[in-house]
Each structure stands twice: as structure tokens, then as C-alpha cells.
């Protein structure tokens, strides 16, 4: 109880701390689909973040480790057919985004790209998960995003910011319900976004032909023409 009281009375953290909270929340869904080599890369990045000063050579080392981790993560599944699939493409984009924002984070400089990273990570996670639990988590994450954005502009305690953000969400519920009813749905499960579909069907001839049980009407139209390299087989073999 005392911990919760102290937490609610916390004043505004630094902008870097607010961004770190937002990035960690948006990164959590990706941890369930990341390759093992990318976990190793994130561990290396955390070690370098503990250093007081990160030099240029340190950034280059982390960059090389990150590129090697991405190459090893997708080397086994990389081929031209897989590259055309959206799931593989999104995984590559997600890994490159993680590489980019971690390198930017090592510089301890805040720019517009780093501020947009949480939103990009959250959007990419929708391509991997379409469950109710992901919907609930995304609503919670978006609520925290709004809270952190307001807190960055208000010099007040967490309790006051939480009250203000909650009131904004309650006021927005009618608009959300109206948009949910009237806004057209997008069938993401049927959309391929320009990529080749991952489901294929093969058809062929099994050696049998079936005709209708209805009475036949003779016709003089040419249906097909058959040519033989040698003599025409007997009638019973046609």
C-alpha cells in the first residue's frame, strides 16, 4: 500500500524515462515472436546501456551484432518464396525497427523517430496477433501512451495525470461506440496487402471422366482434336 501511495505521488519523470516505458510496453508483444538471436542482441544492448558513455565504436559493434543476429534469425527460412509472404516481411521489418531504435537509444538523444517508435511497434504487433487478449492489451497500452504524453506536458503527480487521462477516455467512449458501429470493417485475414497468398490449391486429372445422367443431344460442334504420333489405337482403347 505504501508503494502504491509513493507511486501515485511521483512527480514527472524525464522524457527519456517516459519514452522507455512506452517502448517497453509496445515491445512486449514482439517478445513472443522474436527469434532467439534477437533476444541475444537485446541482452547485449542492455549491457551497453549500463555504460555511462557510449562511444562511436560501441555503436558500430552493436550495429554489427544486430545485423548478424537478424541474418542468423532468418537465414534458415530465407528463400524467394518465403520473401514474398507478408508474415516473413513483417518479421524482417520488426527486427530492423528494433535494431534502429536500440541504436538510437544508445546515443541518448531524443528525436521524432524515437518518439514514433512505440506507435510503430504497436502497429506491427497487430500483424502477429488478432486475439481478444491482444485487443485488451492494445487498449491498455494506448491508454498508457496518452497518459505518458500528458504527463510529459504537466508538472503534476501521477495521481492527477491518471484522473485527467481517465476522464478523457470516459468522454471518448461515445465516439468510439459510434465509430465501431458505422466505420467499415477491414478483413485483415483475407487481405494479402500485395503479397502472394500463403494458401495454394492444386488441381489435376485423376484418370476418370464423368458425364451427366441426362439425355444427350447430338451436336456437330468440334469439342477437341486429338493427334497421335503413330497409328490410331483401336476403338476400345480410346
Amino acid at each position: 500500500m505504501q508503494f502504491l501511495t509513493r507511486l501515485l505521488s511521483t512527480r514527472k519523470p524525464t522524457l527519456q524515462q517516459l519514452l522507455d516505458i512506452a517502448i517497453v510496453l509496445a515491445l512486449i508483444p514482439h517478445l513472443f515472436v522474436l527469434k532467439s538471436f534477437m533476444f541475444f542482441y537485446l541482452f547485449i544492448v542492455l549491457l551497453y546501456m549500463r555504460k555511462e558513455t557510449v562511444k562511436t565504436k560501441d555503436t558500430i559493434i552493436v550495429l554489427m551484432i544486430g545485423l548478424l543476429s537478424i541474418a542468423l534469425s532468418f537465414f534458415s527460412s530465407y528463400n524467394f518464396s518465403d520473401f514474398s509472404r507478408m508474415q516473413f516481411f513483417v518479421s524482417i521489418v520488426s527486427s530492423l525497427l528494433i535494431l534502429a531504435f536500440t541504436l538510437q537509444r544508445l546515443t541518448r538523444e531524443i528525436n521524432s523517430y524515437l518518439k514514433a517508435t512505440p506507435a510503430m511497434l504497436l502497429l506491427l504487433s497487430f500483424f502477429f496477433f488478432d486475439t481478444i487478449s491482444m485487443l485488451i492489451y492494445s487498449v491498455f497500452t494506448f491508454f498508457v501512451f496518452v497518459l505518458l504524453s500528458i504527463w510529459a506536458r504537466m508538472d503534476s503527480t501521477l495521481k492527477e495525470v491518471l484522473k485527467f487521462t481517465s476522464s478523457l477516455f470516459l468522454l471518448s467512449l461515445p465516439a468510439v461506440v459510434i465509430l465501431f458501429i458505422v466505420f467499415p470493417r477491414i478483413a485483415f485475414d483475407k487481405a494479402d496487402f500485395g503479397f502472394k497468398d500463403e494458401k495454394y490449391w492444386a488441381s489435376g486429372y485423376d484418370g476418370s471422366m464423368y458425364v451427366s445422367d441426362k439425355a444427350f443431344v447430338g451436336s456437330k460442334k468440334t469439342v477437341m482434336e486429338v493427334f497421335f504420333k503413330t497409328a490410331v489405337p483401336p476403338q476400345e482403347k480410346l
Side-chain angles (χ1 to χ4, degrees):
M1 194 66 180
Q2 294 181 353
F3 170 77
L4 182 60
T5 303
R6 291 197 300 268
L7 179 63
L8 293 176
S9 60
T10 305
R11 306 298 296 185
K12 181 179 71 173
T14 63
L15 183 58
Q16 186 66 72
Q17 292 174 334
L18 295 176
L19 276 175
D20 289 343
I21 296 173
I23 289 175
V24 169
L25 283 175
L27 185 62
I28 288 177
H30 293 264
L31 298 180
F32 293 96
V33 294
L34 277 182
K35 307 292 185 179
S36 57
F37 289 103
M38 292 304 297
F39 280 103
F40 171 74
Y41 168 73
L42 290 176
F43 176 74
I44 297 298
V45 170
L46 290 176
L47 292 180
Y48 274 92
M49 284 183 180
R50 294 173 60 89
K51 299 178 64 174
E52 295 183 359
T53 57
V54 179
K55 301 179 181 179
T56 305
K57 66 175 183 179
D58 297 330
T59 306
I60 296 176
I61 293 175
V62 172
L63 173 61
M64 298 306 296
I65 295 176
L67 292 176
L68 181 61
S69 300
I70 294 176
L72 293 175
S73 297
F74 297 97
F75 177 77
S76 59
S77 59
Y78 178 80
N79 55 61
F80 289 105
S81 61
D82 280 340
F83 189 74
S84 63
R85 299 184 182 184
M86 186 183 68
Q87 192 78 0
F88 181 82
F89 177 77
V90 175
S91 300
I92 287 286
V93 173
S94 175
S95 299
L96 291 175
L97 178 60
I98 292 174
L99 173 64
F101 88 77
T102 49
L103 290 174
Q104 180 63 42
R105 178 62 180 81
L106 286 177
T107 63
R108 294 182 173 87
E109 296 179 1
I110 300 175
N111 53 20
S112 56
Y113 170 78
L114 197 60
K115 293 179 180 179
T117 296
M120 290 188 289
L121 285 173
L122 186 61
L123 288 175
L124 284 176
S125 63
F126 292 142
F127 288 94
F128 298 108
F129 306 99
D130 56 355
T131 59
I132 297 298
S133 57
M134 181 60 197
L135 174 63
I136 297 174
Y137 182 79
S138 62
V139 172
F140 167 75
T141 305
F142 183 71
F143 175 81
V144 176
F145 284 176
V146 176
L147 186 146
L148 296 177
S149 178
I150 295 175
W151 203 5
R153 292 166 174 79
M154 293 178 58
D155 187 14
S156 57
T157 62
L158 176 60
K159 182 178 181 179
E160 296 173 353
V161 178
L162 188 60
K163 289 181 179 179
F164 183 72
T165 308
S166 301
S167 62
L168 286 180
F169 260 68
L170 291 176
L171 291 175
S172 66
L173 284 180
V176 171
V177 172
I178 293 174
L179 289 176
F180 179 79
I181 295 175
V182 303
F183 200 83
R185 271 67 164 177
I186 300 175
F188 286 103
D189 54 340
K190 298 181 179 179
D192 55 8
F193 298 94
F195 292 90
K196 184 172 60 178
D197 194 359
E198 296 186 16
K199 297 180 179 179
Y200 301 93
W201 290 269
S203 61
Y205 175 59
D206 61 355
S208 303
M209 293 184 66
Y210 304 93
V211 294
S212 174
D213 57 354
K214 305 295 182 181
F216 288 98
V217 179
S219 174
K220 295 183 180 181
K221 293 182 178 180
T222 301
V223 178
M224 69 173 65
E225 293 183 355
V226 181
F227 299 90
F228 298 93
K229 293 182 179 180
T230 58
V232 180
Q235 182 68 27
E236 63 271 9
K237 291 186 178 182
L238 291 178

